[in-house]
Amino acid sequence: MKRFFSFIIGTLLAVNLFAQSNELNSGSTYSYYGTGLPFQSNNTSEKGMGVFGISYRNLNSPSLANPSFWGNSIYSQASVNFGFKNLTVSDSRGSGKNSLLQIDSFQAVFPLKKDRLGLSVSLYPKTRSNYNVVSSQVITANDGRTIGLSSNKVGTGGVTSFEFGLGYKINNNFSIGYASGYSFLREKDTESLVLFDDNITSSVIDRQISGTSISNRFGALFTVRKIFSEKDRFSLGTTIELPMNFDSKLNSETEKVIDGEDVKVQLSGEEMGDISLPLEFGTGLTYFFNSNISVTAEGKLEKWSATKYDFSAEEKNALKDRLQLGFGTSIIPKNYQRPNSSFFSSFKYSAGVSYDTGYLMINDKEIQTLWFSAGLGLISPDSRSASSFDISFQYGLRGTKTNSLVKENIFGINLSVNLTELMFLQRKLN
């Protein structure tokens, strides 16, 4: 138990350190729009399958995807997920690279009643902004002169949720769950404008947006066994997340040169506005041929067209409904973790592919993403422990170079450390 809580405290400290260092990195150019790119809350094991985790339940690692899973908890579990992405970015004028290392999520699940009622506590982002966009153009002044203009926009932030939830196992065939979170929005961006004209002063504009909201998620899982054989199992999962509404405020200020000194001047008073995140539906099917092999097909629909973003009409008009589809498989060798098993039998294997229509329509083009995924899982070599490690590899193609847009080739590595303990049972032997 002491080791369990030491893991939680160390993870929370690490989250704080990473949050401070994220500003040194750069993520997707498309995270500039709205509150940033929507975050995929599926854990590393689910990412390795290319699915969202709505119908696939991995007993060795807790999941955020479907609250109904938590009612099946037997052990107390804590998990931290790390992510690294390397992006190769290109447009019609050139290319470049950037990378981003971050903690993706933290979750702990406690069985209040073993295999019946479970409590989940988690901290994870719902959206993320992390971009550095450089652009240039030529403008025409009132007197007919042409002036070169260079703009550099750097931004970080997004929506983060601190969430509590309960899962309840009604019987061996049906489980339900609910989660509520306190979510806070923080966005900060700086735009540097340089005009190549000695008579015009260049400027730097700082913007900060903040707000809070409550999130509500529901999940259900239906399971049927022995459909075509004595060892098979069929799981149907579904999730619903209600829209989130933020009463947000915007503060803007600019730097001007006054009497030879850089002075920050507030552009306007505090501006109030509405920002929202969408209604989200998810469903999935998983068929377990036996305890070793499974296949999963899942989908999610997010109603971004109905959301609000009062601080930029351009960004709001770019939002559209988003559809995601994922297909994957998981294979556990028959001799997995058995004595004298071969090296290759020491791992679980997964692979999959997913397609995302994207939530943006820019210059009449959908910003779509195609992902290819593969993963490995390993239970702790200590036979007395059910703790595990998962690693997944992803390769994605996002966007296009046509219509003055940006294409991103993304290579991602995700790692989760899953600590599992029987916290509430006393040992008979020391």
Side-chain angles (χ1 to χ4, degrees), residues 259-276:
D259 296 331
E261 295 183 0
D262 290 339
V263 178
K264 287 191 175 183
V265 179
Q266 190 165 357
L267 293 179
S268 61
E270 194 172 81
E271 181 181 349
M272 305 302 295
D274 291 329
I275 293 177
S276 63

Side-chain angles (χ1 to χ4, degrees), residues 122-408:
S122 59
L123 178 67
Y124 65 98
K126 288 184 173 292
T127 67
R128 271 194 174 132
S129 290
N130 203 303
Y131 58 87
N132 187 345
V133 180
V134 179
S135 61
S136 59
Q137 58 181 303
V138 176
I139 61 176
T140 303
N142 293 333
D143 58 5
R145 291 179 299 128
T146 57
I147 302 172
L149 169 65
S150 175
S151 170
N152 183 19
K153 296 180 181 179
V154 179
T156 58
V159 176
T160 302
S161 182
F162 182 62
E163 186 181 76
F164 288 86
L166 292 172
Y168 182 67
K169 180 179 177 181
I170 297 175
N171 52 45
N172 289 332
N173 300 107
F174 192 58
S175 300
I176 58 175
Y178 166 73
S180 179
Y182 178 76
S183 299
F184 45 95
L185 164 66
R186 296 289 185 273
E187 283 192 284
K188 179 181 179 181
D189 68 71
T190 299
E191 182 176 10
S192 302
L193 297 173
V194 178
L195 289 94
F196 300 100
D197 189 298
D198 294 337
N199 299 318
I200 303 177
T201 303
S202 301
S203 62
V204 176
I205 301 173
D206 292 319
R207 299 196 322 158
Q208 294 189 49
I209 298 174
S210 60
T212 58
S213 182
I214 301 296
S215 62
N216 296 278
R217 298 196 297 132
F218 303 86
L221 183 69
F222 178 71
T223 302
V224 180
R225 302 175 186 275
K226 300 181 181 180
I227 305 171
F228 303 113
S229 70
E230 288 294 314
K231 296 183 179 180
D232 72 352
R233 173 163 48 101
F234 176 87
S235 292
L236 168 65
T238 184
T239 58
I240 299 175
E241 181 164 2
L242 300 183
M244 296 173 56
N245 298 294
F246 295 85
D247 293 325
S248 307
K249 58 184 179 182
L250 166 66
N251 287 299
S252 301
E253 58 183 22
T254 184
E255 288 188 4
K256 293 183 177 292
V257 179
I258 301 177
D259 296 331
E261 295 183 0
D262 290 339
V263 178
K264 287 191 175 183
V265 179
Q266 190 165 357
L267 293 179
S268 61
E270 194 172 81
E271 181 181 349
M272 305 302 295
D274 291 329
I275 293 177
S276 63
L277 296 184
L279 177 68
E280 178 185 303
F281 299 94
T283 189
L285 300 171
T286 296
Y287 179 68
F288 296 85
F289 294 91
N290 48 50
S291 60
N292 303 102
I293 302 174
S294 67
V295 292
T296 300
E298 295 181 339
K300 293 175 70 175
L301 175 64
E302 300 172 1
K303 301 292 290 182
W304 283 94
S305 63
T307 60
K308 300 177 181 178
Y309 194 83
D310 284 354
F311 300 122
S312 172
E314 173 200 4
E315 295 178 45
K316 168 63 182 82
N317 292 335
L319 302 179
K320 57 171 284 293
D321 292 344
R322 180 191 192 196
L323 175 65
Q324 300 176 81
L325 300 173
F327 305 91
T329 183
S330 175
I331 300 174
I332 303 175
K334 291 184 178 181
N335 295 324
Y336 181 59
Q337 291 297 308
R338 291 182 182 176
N340 302 319
S341 61
S342 68
F343 174 79
F344 294 103
S345 297
S346 301
F347 299 94
K348 297 182 298 180
Y349 301 90
S350 59
V353 60
S354 62
Y355 169 71
D356 180 359
T357 66
Y359 74 119
L360 296 173
M361 176 78 76
I362 306 173
N363 297 346
D364 297 321
K365 285 285 187 179
E366 285 188 336
I367 308 304
Q368 303 174 356
T369 307
L370 179 64
W371 289 102
F372 301 93
S373 305
L376 296 172
L378 174 67
I379 288 182
S380 169
D382 185 350
S383 61
R384 298 169 298 177
S385 172
S387 298
S388 63
F389 304 88
D390 293 298
I391 186 169
S392 69
F393 305 90
Q394 294 180 293
Y395 180 73
L397 303 168
R398 177 187 292 140
T400 175
K401 290 194 289 186
T402 62
N403 290 29
S404 301
L405 296 174
V406 174
K407 182 179 180 180
E408 297 176 345

